Amino acid sequence: MADFRSDTVTQPSVAMKQRMLNAALGDDVFNDDPTTLELQHYAADMLGFEAALFAPSGTQTNLIAMMSHCQRGDEAIVGQQWHTYKWEGGGMAVLGSIQPQPLELQSDGTLALSDIAAAIKPDDPHFARTRLIVIENSVGGKVLPLGYMRDVAALAKDKGLACHIDGARLMNAAVALAPQHNLTPQKMARELCKGYDSVSLCLSKGLGCPVGSLLLGSHAFIARAKRVRKMLGGGMRQTGMLAAAGLYALENNINRLADDHANCRRLADGLTHLAQQLPALQGKLTALPVQTNILFTDVELQLAEKLLPYLAERGIKLTGSNYQSVNGSIKRLRWVCHLDISREDVDQALQHISAFAAEVN
């Protein structure tokens, strides 16, 4: 079976499980779980922040961040496709009483600096008070470049606003950008975070942990965040078993993300080749450009309705959504490569699609 649905489906390796079993434990609510403290210090040092906080999920660390930066009635500028706005149950509004100001994304995944500036409200009681700019990197597999990240941080500082990175896949972005800047992925990630007040880093996506996310910021910010985490029910006890997985991941699973990116490009190239060569797929399947570990393919709707069950019967799992394009209804399939997807899995998926095309032709 090859599960391409998400990099959240990864299973902890034997070595990671061993670290979890051997972890020294304490009570994290009393701030004395030694392994959790080690993870928080390790991550803060790596990314250039004063402190960090371990929490169950990226959704929670994002919400904790926004509630720590903003008060009731404040506003956060977000992207319309940001996870913080679209995919987290409206938590910033429902639980934080924070008004989101969503902006349209550009084709490269960025928010136009002019749009951000124009969305900042004047100091007027008619408006919610703009307090925060949220950026996501990577977003839908697209990487926001270092220069852009610095420009957003500078804009926030100039306007007196806080700025937060939803870095669920920050390390994927860092691995993709590192060769351009002659840096290690770890140092690249640190550069991407410079100038930002906080960042949320998922451990349970490409890094391969079973559970967990980190929120990083200043000592004062993390002190506020701990209070918010408690209110949201995220105060846990012997978290060291989970934190140990996070430590193993940060020490061992960052550089290997390049393998996932390579597999994703191989998949995209293979699908493009098949779509060009096989009559059943010509004009009906398009692989979109790949930058990291996520590939989207647009498939003609009737073809997709046959393809998805065919692949599912052969153990290949995907997610997809219907879209209306200028050429009619399509299904956009999402393929996510991760540490449990091998090069052989990619090649086998391509073989199945080739066989499918031969059958339906």
Side-chain angles (χ1 to χ4, degrees):
M1 184 180 75
D3 195 339
F4 289 94
R5 289 175 299 170
S6 177
D7 43 11
T8 60
V9 303
T10 56
Q11 297 290 310
S13 65
V14 172
M16 181 180 283
K17 288 179 181 178
Q18 196 61 52
R19 285 283 290 272
M20 296 170 72
L21 287 172
N22 294 337
L25 303 179
D27 190 317
D28 184 53
V29 174
F30 288 125
N31 202 41
D32 64 8
D33 184 280
T35 309
T36 302
L37 291 173
E38 184 182 357
L39 169 64
Q40 290 169 169
H41 291 316
Y42 185 94
D45 183 64
M46 176 187 293
L47 295 179
F49 290 93
E50 292 179 353
L53 184 68
F54 182 71
S57 72
T59 294
Q60 189 173 102
T61 48
N62 278 330
L63 181 56
I64 292 169
M66 292 184 290
M67 291 178 65
S68 298
H69 285 303
C70 300
Q71 300 300 308
R72 291 170 58 87
D74 286 346
E75 175 184 86
I77 295 173
V78 294
Q80 286 187 347
Q81 301 302 319
W82 277 186
H83 205 273
T84 45
Y85 175 66
K86 189 174 181 179
W87 303 101
E88 295 183 359
M92 63 190 298
V94 176
L95 300 177
S97 295
I98 301 164
Q99 174 170 292
Q101 172 59 72
L103 302 179
E104 185 66 35
L105 269 65
Q106 304 300 301
S107 60
D108 62 356
T110 64
L111 301 178
L113 295 175
S114 57
D115 288 348
I116 296 175
I120 299 171
K121 308 298 186 292
D123 186 6
D124 185 308
H126 292 90
F127 302 119
R129 297 169 295 184
T130 307
R131 285 287 185 264
L132 176 66
I133 299 172
V134 178
I135 291 294
E136 186 172 327
N137 199 5
S138 64
V139 53
K142 295 180 179 179
V143 176
L144 278 57
L146 179 59
Y148 175 78
M149 296 294 290
R150 288 175 172 172
D151 287 343
V152 173
L155 174 62
K157 183 177 181 181
D158 181 64
K159 301 297 184 181
L161 305 178
C163 49
H164 170 71
I165 302 173
D166 176 0
R169 294 184 176 90
L170 177 72
M171 291 305 178
N172 289 96
V175 166
L177 289 171
Q180 302 173 26
H181 299 274
N182 295 316
L183 295 172
T184 65
Q186 293 81 355
K187 290 182 178 178
M188 188 73 247
R190 187 184 181 102
E191 289 296 318
L192 289 169
C193 293
K194 277 188 177 178
Y196 285 81
D197 297 287
S198 60
V199 63
S200 171
L201 176 68
C202 274
L203 302 169
S204 58
K205 290 189 169 68
L207 294 176
C209 294
V211 176
S213 185
L214 289 164
L215 179 62
L216 301 99
S218 68
H219 289 302
F221 174 80
I222 294 300
R224 296 195 301 274
K226 283 185 178 180
R227 181 176 293 273
V228 175
R229 184 184 69 172
K230 185 66 175 178
M231 287 191 293
L232 296 175
M236 300 181 287
R237 297 298 177 176
Q238 285 72 37
T239 51
M241 292 189 72
L242 298 175
L247 270 170
Y248 179 89
L250 292 180
E251 292 170 357
N252 296 280
N253 287 354
I254 294 176
N255 291 350
R256 66 145 310 279
L257 292 171
D259 298 336
D260 301 338
H261 298 183
N263 284 337
C264 204
R265 287 191 297 271
R266 183 178 182 85
L267 178 61
D269 291 344
L271 288 171
T272 298
H273 177 75
L274 292 179
Q276 292 170 346
Q277 298 297 318
L278 302 178
L281 304 181
Q282 287 176 356
K284 296 181 179 180
L285 187 152
T286 302
L288 303 184
V290 166
Q291 294 183 17
T292 55
N293 68 319
I294 299 176
L295 165 67
F296 290 97
T297 54
D298 287 346
V299 183
E300 187 269 331
L301 192 57
Q302 290 182 339
L303 184 68
E305 289 174 350
K306 298 175 183 178
L307 176 61
L308 283 173
Y310 182 93
L311 293 177
E313 288 174 1
R314 288 151 182 81
I316 298 173
K317 296 184 178 181
L318 295 171
T319 59
S321 301
N322 292 348
Y323 286 84
Q324 193 67 30
S325 73
V326 293
N327 298 318
S329 295
I330 61 168
K331 184 173 283 289
R332 178 161 289 177
L333 304 181
R334 189 176 86 148
W335 306 73
V336 184
C337 293
H338 48 77
L339 59 82
D340 289 336
I341 294 291
S342 66
R343 178 170 173 158
E344 290 71 26
D345 290 327
V346 169
D347 290 344
Q348 188 172 57
L350 292 170
Q351 291 168 12
H352 285 313
I353 293 173
S354 180
F356 165 81
E359 289 185 19
V360 300
N361 189 26

